[in-house]
């Protein structure tokens, strides 16, 4: 019930009290409490290998932004896709409804891959920015802009469970914060880029509401 109502604080408290790492892995990144996830959950968690586990590990790798963060995330999400495909082929041919949770996880896995591309595009675009004339950044960050536009067009179905919407939009919120941080100094030199993350984050919050 707490999960359906997005009561992540209550779930985290419960997960800590009984040391249930599966609950903690699923809930902590949504608060978000990345520090506790890093120090107390990821090193200790002994849970079944699932696409969801790989997904959370990918989220953490991208959030941590260490030198190998993007590479780690891409490797982990690749393993998540393999696990999801393995589960897919184990299902009977006629089980349409049984495939729905896996389809939802595939969408999340794809968006982690796109998130990694956003990180790469920001890193590549910022190289040599100082040599570009003011206002001459229009053609940079094309990959980033395409992905953000695609995210607006690609939303869950209206009849999908609220938790599906929450998981997807909550992670996108994390990436909008990355975009905002990357372009925070562009207020005068490139106003459209400066407002890019703010605009999409506002749309995201309203859509979830």
């Amino acid at each position: 019930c707490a999960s359906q109502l997005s009561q992540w604080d209550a779930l985290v408290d419960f997960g800590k009290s009984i040391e249930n790492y599966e609950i903690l892995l699923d809930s902590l990144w949504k608060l978000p409490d990345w520090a506790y996830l890093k120090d107390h959950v990821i090193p200790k968690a002994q849970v079944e290998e699932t696409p969801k586990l790989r997904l959370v590990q990918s989220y953490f790798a991208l959030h941590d932004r260490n030198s190998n963060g993007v590479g780690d995330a891409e490797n982990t999400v690749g393993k998540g896709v393999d696990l999801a495909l393995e589960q897919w082929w184990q299902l009977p041919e006629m089980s349409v409804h049984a495939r729905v949770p896996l389809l939802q996880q595939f969408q999340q896995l794809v968006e982690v891959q796109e998130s990694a591309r956003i990180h790469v595009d920001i890193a590549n675009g910022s190289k040599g920015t100082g040599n570009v004339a003011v206002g001459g950044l229009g053609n940079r960050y094309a990959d980033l802009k395409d992905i953000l536009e695609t995210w607006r067009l690609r939303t869950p179905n209206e009849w999908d469970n609220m938790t599906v919407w929450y998981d997807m939009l909550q992670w996108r919120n994390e990436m909008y914060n990355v975009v905002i941080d990357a372009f925070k100094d562009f207020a005068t030199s490139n106003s459209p880029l400066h407002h890019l993350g703010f605009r999409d984050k506002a749309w995201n919050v309203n859509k979830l509401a």
Side-chain angles (χ1 to χ4, degrees):
C1 290
S3 177
Q4 294 297 315
L5 294 168
S6 303
Q7 295 176 344
W8 310 117
D9 287 311
L11 279 167
V12 165
D13 289 342
F14 177 66
K16 287 177 181 177
S17 69
I18 63 169
E19 295 188 353
N20 187 313
Y21 291 111
E22 195 170 337
I23 289 175
L24 290 172
L25 279 167
D26 193 38
S27 306
L28 280 166
W29 72 270
K30 296 171 191 171
L31 282 180
D33 188 348
W34 299 102
Y36 193 91
L37 195 64
K38 178 180 183 178
D39 296 334
H40 302 286
V41 178
I42 289 180
K44 301 176 184 176
Q46 293 182 340
V47 294
E48 183 186 355
E49 285 280 317
T50 62
K52 179 173 276 190
L53 171 64
R54 292 303 189 187
L55 196 61
V56 174
Q57 289 172 333
S58 302
Y59 287 160
F60 179 76
L62 287 178
H63 170 82
D64 206 31
R65 294 197 225 178
N66 59 35
S67 56
N68 299 318
V70 170
D72 289 347
E74 289 179 334
N75 289 335
T76 306
V77 82
K79 293 173 184 174
V81 170
D82 289 343
L83 287 167
L85 285 171
E86 192 177 310
Q87 289 183 13
W88 181 276
W89 290 115
Q90 287 173 359
L91 294 169
E93 287 184 16
M94 299 302 292
S95 59
V96 177
H97 292 292
R99 282 177 162 77
V100 170
L102 278 172
L103 286 169
Q104 292 162 346
Q105 285 187 341
F106 276 125
Q107 182 168 351
Q108 289 177 284
L109 290 163
V110 165
E111 295 205 356
V112 175
Q113 291 175 320
E114 291 169 337
S115 300
R117 282 168 50 203
I118 287 176
H119 278 281
V120 171
D121 205 39
I122 289 173
N124 291 341
S126 61
K127 290 175 185 173
T129 299
N131 301 324
V132 181
V134 172
L137 297 169
N139 294 325
R140 289 180 182 270
Y141 310 108
D143 216 17
L144 162 68
K145 293 173 185 173
D146 285 347
I147 290 168
L148 295 187
E149 183 65 28
T150 300
W151 281 1
R152 283 207 190 200
L153 299 172
R154 188 210 297 143
T155 56
N157 298 303
E158 288 184 10
W159 57 85
D160 277 326
N161 195 296
M162 181 63 193
T163 56
V164 176
W165 283 84
Y166 193 97
D167 283 8
M168 187 163 297
L169 299 188
Q170 180 67 14
W171 173 251
R172 289 182 184 181
N173 208 48
E174 173 80 15
M175 292 310 302
Y176 295 139
N177 289 336
V178 169
V179 174
I180 289 169
D181 186 56
F183 301 137
K184 62 186 176 185
D185 297 327
F186 284 24
T188 53
S189 62
N190 195 307
S191 184
L193 272 181
H194 176 69
H195 289 109
L196 192 64
F198 291 107
R199 188 192 67 201
D200 283 293
K201 185 173 180 178
W203 179 89
N204 196 60
V205 170
N206 288 330
K207 190 71 175 176
L208 184 57

